Amino acid sequence: MGASSPPRVTGRLRRTSLVDQAIAALQAEIDSGAWAVGEKIPTEPQLVERFGIGRNALREAIRALVHSGLLETRQGDGTYLRATSEFAGALRRRTSCSELLELVEVRRAIEVEAARLAAKRRSDRQAAELERLLAESAAAWRAGDVGRLVGADVALHTEIVRASGNAMLLELYESFGGAIAEAIRTELLDTATYSRPTHSALVAAIVAGDPQAAAAATAAALDEVRIGRERRSIGQPSR
């Protein structure tokens, strides 16, 4: 009896394999931090050349990551990174009022403890960076630049979590990065207000090494957002 022939790889199976390779290549770039959330990723020809993958497989891979919430394709503009994990992508898609309230509650649970720890553990370099980001937020607010303000505010809160010295807490918080940025943008567009005094008190408490004041300032800032969102959800004006 002669040796049997190896199984034939059908066009469909080979196609799936190529798409999987393209997805894996894109995911590796995302995981490595090559692209920041909100950044436009390289063009299709650039990615084809970089990965050595066919254009059709690449397009299917991009569609799959758009569906999962990691990428966003803008007609006539390009493709943007919207989240760094499927979990964060799913959070970003949850934009109803009640879900924004849930996100505020999650942020409160993480950020209050992070601020308390940051006040105890922050380095001099981190303290200086927090003051720089606070000044950047203030400048963006004065200029009326919402995009710049959102970026500075997200960076400020992320730096506070980083200053907590808890790597697991930071990783958890960063998984919410895209959703938090969208929520902050929504709040700014809905209310046209930014709580500079509360943010100033928060940074001052961390720089001064006062854990209790830092935790209280964080709770106050997020409670202000929560109350405003609850009022808008039932049609009451924010104060």
Side-chain angles (χ1 to χ4, degrees):
M1 187 179 212
S4 60
S5 300
R8 185 169 172 234
V9 178
T10 67
R12 180 176 178 79
L13 286 174
R14 184 172 181 276
R15 180 81 182 151
T16 301
S17 177
L18 290 174
V19 173
D20 287 344
Q21 289 177 38
I23 290 173
L26 288 167
Q27 187 68 66
E29 293 291 294
I30 294 170
D31 292 343
S32 72
W35 310 318
V37 172
E39 179 183 349
K40 182 191 290 188
I41 72 172
T43 63
E44 189 177 280
Q46 290 172 326
L47 292 174
V48 166
E49 182 177 357
R50 180 182 301 185
F51 301 146
I53 295 172
R55 181 165 295 189
N56 289 337
L58 178 64
R59 285 176 179 171
E60 289 187 35
I62 289 174
R63 278 196 292 269
L65 294 184
V66 167
H67 180 72
S68 68
L70 272 67
L71 299 178
E72 176 187 358
T73 299
R74 300 178 187 174
Q75 190 66 34
D77 187 6
T79 301
Y80 289 76
L81 180 65
R82 301 309 300 162
T84 56
S85 70
E86 290 190 19
F87 175 62
L91 284 172
R92 181 183 168 273
R93 293 195 298 272
R94 300 178 57 150
T95 55
S96 73
C97 186
S98 63
E99 289 159 343
L100 285 173
L101 283 171
E102 290 177 4
L103 181 58
V104 172
E105 291 170 356
V106 172
R107 287 185 62 193
R108 196 183 193 284
I110 295 173
E111 292 185 32
V112 170
E113 178 63 11
R116 187 184 70 80
L117 292 173
K120 296 168 64 175
R121 300 173 178 174
R122 60 85 181 155
S123 66
D124 290 343
R125 183 198 62 76
Q126 288 169 328
E129 178 64 5
L130 290 176
E131 291 179 325
R132 185 192 71 78
L133 289 168
L134 181 65
E136 171 70 9
S137 297
W141 173 249
R142 288 193 298 270
D145 189 335
V146 173
R148 181 181 166 197
L149 178 56
V150 171
D153 196 47
V154 172
L156 174 66
H157 290 291
T158 303
E159 186 63 24
I160 290 171
V161 180
R162 182 175 290 108
S164 75
N166 187 314
M168 189 176 295
L169 200 62
L170 177 62
E171 184 175 353
L172 176 62
Y173 189 74
E174 287 182 330
S175 73
F176 289 85
I180 290 172
E182 288 297 319
I184 290 172
R185 182 182 296 276
T186 297
E187 288 298 321
L188 288 169
L189 293 176
D190 283 355
T191 65
T193 59
Y194 180 68
S195 182
R196 286 176 55 194
T198 308
H199 284 78
S200 296
L202 168 58
V203 171
I206 293 173
V207 171
D210 187 336
Q212 186 174 351
T218 305
L222 291 170
D223 285 346
E224 184 178 319
V225 173
R226 177 184 55 79
I227 292 168
R229 177 55 56 181
E230 286 173 344
R231 285 177 176 151
R232 287 191 293 280
S233 72
I234 58 176
Q236 294 182 4
S238 299
R239 292 181 183 176

